[in-house]
Amino acid sequence: MIQSLRAALTAVLVMAGGTAVSETSLKILSFEELDGWAEDDHEAARTVFLNTCQDFDAPDWRSVCSAAAGIKDARKFFELLFRPVLIEDGAEPLFTGYFEPELNGARSPYGQFRFPVYRMPPEARGAGPWLTRRELETSGVLKGRGLEIAWVDDSVELFFLQIQGSGRIKMADGSTIRVGYGGSNGRNYSSIGAELVRRGVYNRHQVSAEVIKNWVRRNPVAGAELLRHNDSYVFFREVNRVAADKGPLGAMNRSITTMRTVAVDPKFTPLGAPVWLEKDGEGPMRRLMIAQDTGSAIKGAQRADIFFGTGDVAGKAAGKLKDPGRMVVFLPIQRAYAMLPESIL
């Protein structure tokens, strides 16, 4: 097992040319080295961990999951069965936020409800890079095929719904539907905020989701062109099995939890793993979270997206977040030591 795990890690840390990435390092920490560890609500984190740990396939993870409910003290559970592992890849740590948007919509187009929320067309599945956002929006290839889930009243909010990957649509008849990620066109995500900075419209520290939305609305023609700078296009599916009081489905197809779920890069952090977050900047955060989600813009060992909840208040808070810090992954003890290079074992 040790050799296979180490080989798997090496595969993650090898570049296309076949040489190891020298900046990548792993270090096992003690719990005493985690800033604020003793003050966190460990039981809250364990409850979220239990929501997805039953989906693990690996024997060591399944053993940890089986023990999760049997150890009375949640802090002792984490300290007894895990080791904190700091994984760094040479990139600066960056923590951002995401949320579940709420849009206004209708089942049929009329009046202001004229922007369709599409299911994924069958020919796009498994096709690799497909049509760009511009081509999908201007060619008419999606129209008149019954792919529409709903029509919403704001194209800018629809664009940001695609970035978030899930949301709620409050229908004109008073009902609400939930939509989740249903696939994409296979194109790379390009940051609209970074494009505005590149054009000299804003400085980097000025950019947030609200700033981008307001600029696009003030400049409708140029704004539409700006949004098409992002080739990536997300399709949706209707989600009926999640209770209204639960969070949206994450990458593990389970409900995620406000301020306890984090989206990560699964090349470095196993989905379902506990993650200790030390976010600096405005409103410092020291909290144990669970890696239950992913995102197209979340790439790297020290890159994470914090789930802030549902609605406009959560959206504004999430949109402002762009802070440095440190992320430490909790791994089962044997797995943690197996991942270390042989030279330091």
Side-chain angles (χ1 to χ4, degrees):
M1 177 182 287
I2 290 178
Q3 294 297 330
S4 61
L5 288 172
R6 189 178 290 120
L9 175 65
T10 301
V12 168
L13 305 182
V14 168
M15 299 176 62
T19 58
V21 180
S22 60
E23 295 90 347
T24 302
S25 64
L26 294 91
K27 180 182 180 182
I28 294 181
L29 306 179
S30 67
F31 285 91
E32 290 74 19
E33 293 178 271
L34 305 181
D35 184 27
W37 168 248
E39 289 72 45
D40 193 27
D41 185 345
H42 305 94
E43 183 57 45
R46 176 165 64 175
T47 298
V48 178
F49 176 72
L50 283 167
N51 186 40
T52 47
C53 74
Q54 65 268 31
D55 296 331
F56 281 119
D57 292 325
D60 55 346
W61 278 109
R62 293 189 68 84
S63 295
V64 168
C65 186
S66 297
I71 300 175
K72 185 175 181 181
D73 187 310
R75 177 179 171 182
K76 287 184 178 178
F77 159 69
F78 289 111
E79 292 179 349
L80 285 172
L81 300 181
F82 292 94
R83 287 296 177 265
V85 180
L86 177 63
I87 305 174
E88 297 175 295
D89 61 356
E92 290 294 322
L94 176 61
F95 301 114
T96 52
Y98 73 113
F99 71 110
E100 183 185 33
E102 285 186 320
L103 286 74
N104 298 313
R107 286 289 188 180
S108 301
Y110 71 91
Q112 72 270 35
F113 303 115
R114 53 195 178 90
F115 303 104
V117 179
Y118 284 115
R119 298 180 181 86
M120 191 169 188
E123 68 268 26
R125 298 189 182 278
W130 199 47
L131 301 176
T132 66
R133 172 179 295 275
R134 177 182 299 278
E135 291 166 337
L136 288 168
E137 291 181 345
T138 60
S139 68
V141 67
L142 300 175
K143 292 182 179 180
R145 300 176 54 188
L147 297 171
E148 299 88 355
I149 296 174
W151 280 259
V152 296
D153 63 353
D154 192 322
S155 61
V156 181
E157 293 296 342
L158 176 56
F159 176 86
F160 278 87
L161 174 66
Q162 293 191 351
I163 292 178
Q164 301 302 321
S166 63
R168 304 185 196 208
I169 303 175
K170 299 162 83 173
M171 311 302 283
D173 63 6
S175 63
T176 298
I177 65 171
R178 222 167 188 161
V179 293
Y181 179 84
S184 79
N185 61 345
R187 298 282 181 168
N188 290 332
Y189 171 84
S190 298
S191 168
I192 299 304
E195 179 62 14
L196 284 172
V197 172
R198 189 191 69 80
R199 296 180 185 183
V201 178
Y202 294 110
N203 294 323
R204 187 172 297 277
H205 71 277
Q206 297 175 303
V207 175
S208 69
E210 288 303 310
V211 167
I212 296 170
K213 289 178 184 180
N214 291 335
W215 189 90
V216 172
R217 289 176 177 134
R218 289 196 309 269
N219 304 274
V221 176
E225 286 300 306
L226 173 69
L227 298 185
R228 287 169 180 162
H229 173 76
N230 176 26
D231 282 342
S232 176
Y233 191 98
V234 169
F235 300 99
F236 294 94
R237 59 190 175 92
E238 194 166 344
V239 179
N240 298 313
R241 66 179 182 84
V242 180
D245 62 335
K246 298 293 185 181
L249 298 181
M252 301 184 75
N253 210 31
R254 302 276 183 173
S255 288
I256 59 178
T257 302
T258 300
M259 302 308 291
R260 286 290 173 181
T261 289
V262 64
V264 298
D265 185 343
K267 290 182 180 179
F268 295 93
T269 304
L271 282 176
V275 171
W276 178 252
L277 212 66
E278 296 177 6
K279 186 197 78 67
D280 297 328
E282 184 178 349
M285 182 185 300
R286 305 292 186 260
R287 180 170 297 195
L288 184 59
M289 309 187 82
I290 310 300
Q292 295 174 320
D293 213 352
T294 61
S296 58
I298 310 304
K299 303 297 182 186
Q302 288 290 311
R303 179 75 174 90
D305 218 12
I306 300 166
F307 179 62
F308 272 74
T310 299
D312 290 341
V313 173
K316 289 178 181 178
K320 293 178 181 177
L321 185 65
K322 189 178 290 185
D323 290 327
R326 182 175 75 160
M327 181 170 69
V328 181
V329 183
F330 285 17
L331 298 175
I333 294 175
Q334 184 179 6
R335 180 176 294 250
Y337 285 106
M339 290 178 72
L340 291 175
E342 294 183 1
S343 59
I344 62 174
L345 287 177

